[in-house]
Amino acid sequence: MKNKLCEQNTWLLIFAIIIMQAGFLSALDAVMIVKDGGGKRIIKGTIVKDNLKGFVLEKDGATVPISRPDIKGFKYAHMPKWLVNAKTAIDNKSWSKAKSALKKAKRSIKKLDPKQRNLIMQYNYYYRAVVMHNTGNYIEANREYQATISSVKNSRFYFESNIGEAKILEDTGKISEAKKKYALLQKDFKKKAVELKLPKKQVTPFYLIAKIGEIRTAVKGINKKNSSNKKSELEKLDTELNSVLRKFPKDKSAQSSGNLVKALIWKGQERWDKLAIFLDKVILEGQLSNKQKELFELYKERAKANLKNEDYRAAILDYLRLWLEYKVTGNYAAEVHYQIGYCFFKLKDENWQK
């Protein structure tokens, strides 16, 4: 407990020093690093490089490189408050608050330390891209992802921004282009890892996102067709997906993304009975991780699966959850209400006319 309090007090002291010096051109930044042995230490200096590989600090006339996986936390001396507020809002998925915070960027950029302006600006571009992407402004989001990559060579958000561009293609229905993009990213990420000598644990999660993205878009493409080979093609992708997930059983994000692809495969094969059972299991496990957006999509799929499987009571429960818990609106709300009525009609429940 004493060690923990000591650590907290040390950070408070560092941040107090940073705030005191923020009005001067000289910068005092702080980086906490963690080595493999578990030991933590704090290095104070000026951050002069912040990219995919890690940080480079100027300290006592010398440069100190710090690998990205070793970084536990950091603080720019001149990190503007609006940027910190934007990050907090994004973490909480408060998109309107994040937008408001980022609007202040234009007035504040000139006040940034010239030595660190372009390093800090990559955060501004990336956070703007995330907000635009999640609020459906895909053109602007794509522009900001590209600006993130070009603002700093090997930007610290290089992997995330490239994946963001691929996801925009997928979200806008350009499935074939998205599939090609995900495939190219896997090669690009491997090449980048070799070029910068990045540790495997840093690159693997992003490689997995791209790999599962490629399989997911392949499944979506097949599901759009009425091919006689549809089921066998989906079986091959199911086998490929299982192979990927077996190799990385501890990666929770990959397992979660894989589950969503599984749902698409069962749907494409029209195995409504198995899909409903499978989703029961996935949803039950998913509730523990509180991933509301993913759960929403799964409930939508399970409702359709139960409807196709003529399990009308189960379908009613799912549609009611979508209406009452997830508060669906617009055309989809109308569809939900229609399906609830349809299910009551099929059951000939005494209340179906209401």
Side-chain angles (χ1 to χ4, degrees), residues 107 112-113 117 168 212 250 279 281 308 314 327 331:
R107 298 195 299 270
L112 296 177
D113 183 342
R117 185 176 294 136
I168 285 175
I212 292 174
K250 294 182 180 179
L279 290 179
K281 176 178 178 291
K308 288 281 187 179
K327 296 178 175 61
N331 291 337

Side-chain angles (χ1 to χ4, degrees), residues 133 142 145 159-169 185:
H133 194 161
N142 200 65
Y145 280 134
F159 293 142
E160 292 93 333
S161 295
N162 273 291
I163 288 169
E165 288 186 71
K167 193 68 173 65
I168 285 175
L169 290 171
L185 288 182

Side-chain angles (χ1 to χ4, degrees), residues 81-149:
K81 189 177 178 181
W82 52 265
L83 205 53
V84 176
N85 291 342
K87 175 63 165 59
T88 302
I90 288 169
D91 289 342
N92 294 326
K93 294 182 170 51
S94 301
W95 307 118
S96 58
K97 287 184 180 179
K99 273 186 177 180
S100 297
L102 290 168
K103 279 181 181 177
K104 299 177 182 178
K106 291 181 180 179
R107 298 195 299 270
S108 305
I109 287 169
K110 292 179 181 179
K111 298 178 183 178
L112 296 177
D113 183 342
K115 293 180 181 179
Q116 298 177 319
R117 185 176 294 136
N118 70 317
L119 300 180
I120 294 176
M121 279 304 297
Q122 64 184 313
Y123 293 84
N124 175 56
Y125 291 132
Y126 180 67
Y127 293 161
R128 278 183 56 80
V130 171
V131 173
M132 294 299 112
H133 194 161
N134 280 276
T135 52
N137 191 339
Y138 298 120
I139 295 174
E140 186 69 20
N142 200 65
R143 189 180 297 124
E144 297 296 338
Y145 280 134
Q146 290 174 2
T148 306
I149 295 168

Side-chain angles (χ1 to χ4, degrees), residues 266 271-279 309:
W266 286 116
R271 299 303 303 269
W272 307 113
D273 53 341
K274 289 197 173 184
L275 176 58
I277 294 169
F278 176 78
L279 290 179
N309 203 37

